[in-house]
Amino acid sequence: MAVSTRRLLLILAVAASSVTAQSSTVVCTQTGCNQDNCYRNLVQSTAFCASFTAPPQLGSTATPSLNPIQSSCGVGSLSSACSCLYPPGATTLATRASITQCTTLPLAPSPTALNVDFESDSQAIYVARTYNVNNASIISNASLSHSPPNVFRVTFIPEAPGTFDSRNINLFATGLMRPFTAYTFSFWAKSDFPLNPSDSEFSYVNLIIQGLKKGPAPPDLTFTESPSTFSNQLLAPAVNWNWNQYQGYFNSGEYPYFFIQFYFNNGGYIYSGTVPSLYIDDVSLVQA
C-alpha cells in the first residue's frame, strides 16, 4: 500500500500571480443585525422603534403597543432590532441594517472563473493526498478524453486478485471569483471498464466548495485563514465506464476566492487484480 501526500502541480497558473492585474469591487460585509421575523416586522413599523427607544416621560408608565410578532420577540430582540433600524440617518433602513463596513476586493473579470480542459498551459489543478495511486498525469488520447485530445488520467497500483482495499485521490482547484455571485462547479469523469464485472468501482465522489478572503489557497495548503464552506456533498452516480457530468452549486457571498476539492474513492474488492483507471476532463467554475 503506497501513501502519498505530495502536492503535484499539473498545470501551473496560480491565481495569486494575476490578482494584481484584475479590477476591483467594493464589498460590504454584514453586521450582527439579525434579519429575523422580529427585524422584518419592525422594518415596516419605524414609528414603533421611535417610541420604543425614546426616553420615558417623567411620571409616565406607558409602553408602546405591541403586535403579536413584536410581543413574541422579547425586550432583548426588540432593542437589538431597533438599534439597527433607528434612527434611520442618511441611509435607508434596509441598508443600515445590512452593512457595517465596506472593503475593496479584487474582481474576477470573466463569468468563467475556472476552465480546465487540460489542453493549454493557462490552467491549474492540483493533486493533494493520494492512496494506492500509481500515477496521476495528463495524457493525449482522443479515444479516452471527453474533449479531445487531452485528459487527466489516474492509474492505481496493481493488486493481488481478490484484494479488499481503498484507492483514492483528492484533487483541488483554487482561484479568483466574483463576490455575491451564484456559481456552478462542473467536471466530467469516467473509469475503465472493469476486467471482472464484480470489481469495485468509484462509488464515493465527494465535493467540497469553500471560500477564502485573503487569497487563493497555495499549493502546500497552508492556509492563513479558515475557509468558509459553501457546499459539502456526495455526488451521484458512481463513476463508471461512461462519461458522467458532476456539478455543485453555491453563492460566493462576500468571498472573492474559491477553494474546491473533489475526492474519488474506490473501496472494495478487485478480483481481477487490476484497478480501473480514472479519467477526469473539462473542469469548470462558471457564473450560474
Side-chain angles (χ1 to χ4, degrees):
M1 291 185 291
V3 178
S4 173
T5 56
R6 67 185 183 278
R7 270 65 179 179
L8 172 65
L9 175 61
L10 302 180
I11 312 175
L12 178 60
V14 182
S17 63
S18 61
V19 166
T20 56
Q22 311 299 343
S23 58
S24 62
T25 186
V26 176
V27 173
C28 298
T29 57
Q30 294 183 353
T31 68
C33 293
N34 184 19
Q35 299 187 31
D36 53 14
N37 286 338
C38 184
Y39 164 83
R40 286 188 288 271
N41 183 265
L42 292 176
V43 165
Q44 309 301 323
S45 181
T46 56
F48 172 85
C49 279
S51 300
F52 187 80
T53 58
Q57 297 296 320
L58 184 63
S60 172
T61 59
T63 58
S65 60
L66 306 178
N67 66 32
I69 295 178
Q70 293 164 357
S71 297
S72 68
C73 291
V75 174
S77 294
L78 287 173
S79 299
S80 175
C82 280
S83 68
C84 292
L85 294 168
Y86 188 85
T91 60
T92 65
L93 299 180
T95 301
R96 179 181 177 84
S98 63
I99 65 171
T100 181
Q101 62 180 7
C102 296
T103 306
T104 300
L105 296 173
L107 180 64
S110 168
T112 301
L114 180 73
N115 183 25
V116 180
D117 57 12
F118 304 104
E119 309 298 334
S120 73
D121 60 357
S122 61
Q123 308 147 84
I125 291 289
Y126 300 87
V127 175
R129 187 181 185 277
T130 66
Y131 189 77
N132 281 334
V133 167
N134 181 50
N135 181 262
S137 62
I138 299 167
I139 65 168
S140 182
N141 189 320
S143 66
L144 292 175
S145 63
H146 181 257
S147 57
N150 292 354
V151 65
F152 179 65
R153 181 180 66 179
V154 183
T155 61
F156 298 86
I157 296 173
E159 302 176 359
T163 297
F164 182 93
D165 209 338
S166 180
R167 312 105 190 146
N168 56 61
I169 184 167
N170 189 347
L171 303 176
F172 73 93
T174 186
L176 189 64
M177 62 183 175
R178 289 176 179 260
F180 300 106
T181 301
Y183 277 96
T184 299
F185 177 71
S186 172
F187 64 91
W188 291 79
K190 76 167 189 173
S191 66
D192 283 336
F193 196 89
L195 296 182
N196 186 311
S198 297
D199 282 350
S200 177
E201 58 188 3
F202 291 90
S203 58
Y204 186 97
V205 183
N206 190 39
L207 176 62
I208 303 175
I209 302 175
Q210 297 174 300
L212 295 162
K213 288 183 180 180
K214 298 180 181 179
D220 60 7
L221 297 186
T222 304
F223 295 112
T224 58
E225 62 179 303
S226 296
S228 176
T229 300
F230 302 125
S231 177
N232 186 344
Q233 59 179 317
L234 296 179
L235 304 180
V239 177
N240 56 36
W241 47 94
N242 297 310
W243 281 110
N244 288 306
Q245 185 180 28
Y246 299 86
Q247 294 181 312
Y249 309 92
F250 69 102
N251 189 291
S252 57
E254 58 185 314
Y255 295 86
Y257 304 98
F258 64 85
F259 173 56
I260 299 175
Q261 303 176 70
F262 41 124
Y263 172 87
F264 303 84
N265 183 70
N266 179 331
Y269 288 99
I270 297 295
Y271 295 98
S272 66
T274 301
V275 182
S277 295
L278 173 68
Y279 302 90
I280 300 161
D281 209 349
D282 296 326
V283 184
S284 67
L285 178 63
V286 181
Q287 290 181 32

